[in-house]
Amino acid sequence: MTTPPLAAVAPIPFLGMKLNEGVVRGHMLTFYLACYATIMLATFVPATQPFLLDQVLGMERSRQGVASGNLNFWGEIVIIVTVGLWGGLSDRFGRRAVTSMGFALIAAGALLYGLARDIGGLYLARGVYAAGIAAVSTMLITLMADYVSNNSRGKATGLLGVMNGLGAMTAALFLLRLPAIFQGRGFSAEQSAIATYGLMAAITALIALAMYFGLRRGQAHSSDERAPILRQLREGIAEARRPLIALAYASSFVARGNLAVVGTFFTLWASVYGTQELGMSAAEAVSKGGAVVAISYAASLISAPVFGIMTDRLNRTTALAVTLAIGAVGYGSTYFVDDPFSLGTIACLILIGMAEVGCIITSGVLIAEQAPDRLRGSIVGLFTLSGAIGILIASVVGGYLFDHWLKTGPFVFFGAISALVCVWAIAVRMRHA
């Protein structure tokens, strides 16, 4: 009897997904831990900024919208400068090394946040944190494409959305309460900041170690298959001439911009409204705002599997258009509300939560499907770069609209952007039907 070759052995399944060769369940568990931790940290840091600006730095509330936008702006400049580098380095040195380094940088940035006592200190902290977010965000979609076969990526990205929802809810329901908890135990505002961010830095450092020991070892390609980094980046930019790649880049602009709008401006809105209208402290208002925005993240959590299944069963451009339409309605409807704690706002946040996770899933699957293996790291890096530009635009324009027009101005603005990209997706779908 002839023994079948090793290549004929069926790959190990994971929750109904077909994994690529060499990927085991431990790699997938570590990958989904990264998904959970990334969104938890991406939610926590911007959402706690109003507490720092108000009670630690003592900044006037009329300046906090622009200040928050500027912090995001310079953070995204760091992402724009580094994101292509991370993608290229991951193709050369492996996904594990870049992912571990990313979480280590986030831990350092969180510690610097707790120590900052002026706006310059916050800029430094935001820059270090942003470099880490750039590395980790680039790796998530890259790892998903490396680990899961194409016909299971909708389901895999749906579970990614579930972990994102759990991470965001952890931040909103528990982590945003930390400053108020420490203050309730007699800590000063400065001491609460050190305790809050120091604790998060320690947790993030442990996650960095988990990435190093839990992700698959080795490089994605052998050295004779790799082009130089600058050439890969040029080729990745050239891929934008393909309509579906260009659409995927635009959808990343919306998906990441969505996260910036909610993560930065909702808790700032809650902080301003709570302190001015309800007589709360900034820490209490941020905590209450976190409880409200958790409803949005719960909607993300519940709807993520639906979007994952939809992405596998429908044309992926069609699925993307659906999520963009939901976002346009959810964000645009905030024009009609002025109380961040009202039922009308909660209804908008439910739609926004669905749109956020839906756009992340559909755009991620689309780029993973369209990116050639040899250029995958670099193309996903540029995909993340487009998202960074989305956050940059959301931060600058949103901050100005928050201070000079409506507190919901950043949301309304991104509703209009979502509508425009939705029309683009429909046009591409009709042309390439």
Side-chain angles (χ1 to χ4, degrees):
M1 179 178 294
T2 303
T3 302
L6 292 176
V9 177
I12 298 172
F14 180 82
L15 299 179
M17 305 171 204
K18 183 179 178 182
L19 305 185
N20 290 329
E21 185 178 355
V23 180
V24 299
R25 294 187 182 98
H27 300 147
M28 292 299 294
L29 290 172
T30 306
F31 165 68
Y32 282 116
L33 171 62
C35 298
Y36 169 85
T38 299
I39 199 67
M40 178 183 73
L41 295 164
T43 301
F44 166 77
V45 169
T48 49
Q49 275 181 183
F51 161 73
L52 291 174
L53 295 174
D54 191 83
Q55 295 196 9
V56 179
L57 273 65
M59 182 176 290
E60 298 91 339
R61 291 178 185 133
S62 61
R63 296 173 50 211
Q64 290 182 14
V66 169
S68 296
N70 287 341
L71 283 165
N72 279 4
F73 175 90
W74 289 109
E76 293 314 306
I77 291 296
V78 172
I79 291 178
I80 289 170
V81 170
T82 63
V83 69
L85 177 65
W86 293 125
L89 288 176
S90 77
D91 285 344
R92 286 179 171 267
F93 302 111
R95 321 308 194 198
R96 180 179 72 140
V98 172
T99 306
S100 301
M101 177 60 71
F103 278 109
L105 287 171
I106 294 171
L111 183 60
L112 289 171
Y113 255 95
L115 298 174
R117 294 297 176 266
D118 55 39
I119 195 68
L122 286 183
Y123 279 126
L124 173 62
R126 186 65 179 223
V128 175
Y129 159 84
I133 287 292
V136 174
S137 298
T138 302
M139 289 302 96
L140 290 186
I141 298 300
T142 306
L143 286 168
M144 188 269 290
D146 285 347
Y147 285 5
V148 183
S149 65
N150 184 55
N151 59 1
S152 294
R153 285 177 188 160
K155 185 180 295 183
T157 315
L159 183 54
L160 182 153
V162 171
M163 300 309 296
N164 281 352
L166 288 173
M169 288 184 67
T170 301
L173 292 176
F174 302 106
L175 302 184
L176 297 190
R177 297 178 58 204
L178 288 176
I181 289 173
F182 285 120
Q183 284 187 321
R185 294 184 177 182
F187 286 41
S188 67
E190 292 80 3
Q191 291 170 334
S192 296
I194 293 173
T196 297
Y197 289 98
L199 175 62
M200 292 309 302
I203 292 171
T204 308
L206 292 176
I207 293 170
L209 288 175
M211 295 301 108
Y212 185 79
F213 290 107
L215 293 176
R216 185 171 61 173
R217 296 174 182 269
Q219 299 168 323
H221 304 287
S222 62
S223 58
D224 59 346
E225 295 177 318
R226 291 192 306 266
I229 290 177
L230 291 178
R231 178 179 152 196
Q232 286 191 2
L233 295 179
R234 288 196 300 268
E235 291 175 342
I237 293 171
E239 288 294 304
R241 291 178 295 185
R242 296 170 52 196
L244 290 173
I245 291 286
L247 177 62
Y249 288 166
S251 64
S252 177
F253 179 100
V254 174
R256 292 284 308 283
N258 286 346
L259 293 174
V261 167
V262 176
T264 300
F265 293 108
F266 184 81
T267 51
L268 182 59
W269 180 21
S271 175
V272 171
Y273 188 89
T275 54
Q276 291 184 344
E277 303 295 332
L278 304 179
M280 298 178 172
S281 70
E284 292 170 338
V286 167
S287 177
K288 184 173 181 178
V292 174
V293 82
I295 297 172
S296 177
Y297 299 139
S300 297
L301 179 65
I302 293 169
S303 60
V306 177
F307 285 116
I309 294 170
M310 181 182 73
T311 305
D312 275 343
R313 294 188 177 181
L314 296 181
N315 175 280
R316 285 163 178 177
T317 306
T318 301
L320 176 62
V322 171
T323 64
L324 290 166
I326 295 171
V329 173
Y331 279 99
S333 297
T334 60
Y335 177 81
F336 303 101
V337 298
D338 55 13
D339 179 354
F341 308 122
S342 69
L343 291 177
T345 301
I346 290 172
C348 293
L349 287 174
I350 290 172
L351 292 176
I352 288 170
M354 294 172 62
E356 280 184 0
V357 74
C359 199
I360 290 170
I361 290 170
T362 53
S363 63
V365 172
L366 181 61
I367 198 68
E369 177 185 60
Q370 296 296 317
D373 288 344
R374 185 176 65 87
L375 297 173
R376 181 175 293 157
S378 297
I379 287 177
V380 173
L382 291 170
F383 175 82
T384 308
L385 170 61
S386 179
I389 296 172
I391 294 180
L392 189 152
I393 298 299
S395 301
V396 175
V397 177
Y400 179 84
L401 294 175
F402 186 93
D403 281 346
H404 297 92
W405 184 42
L406 296 172
K407 301 307 179 189
T408 59
F411 298 83
V412 176
F413 172 67
F414 246 77
I417 298 294
S418 297
L420 289 174
V421 180
C422 179
V423 172
W424 183 358
I426 293 170
V428 171
R429 178 68 181 96
M430 293 176 65
R431 186 175 304 168
H432 295 275

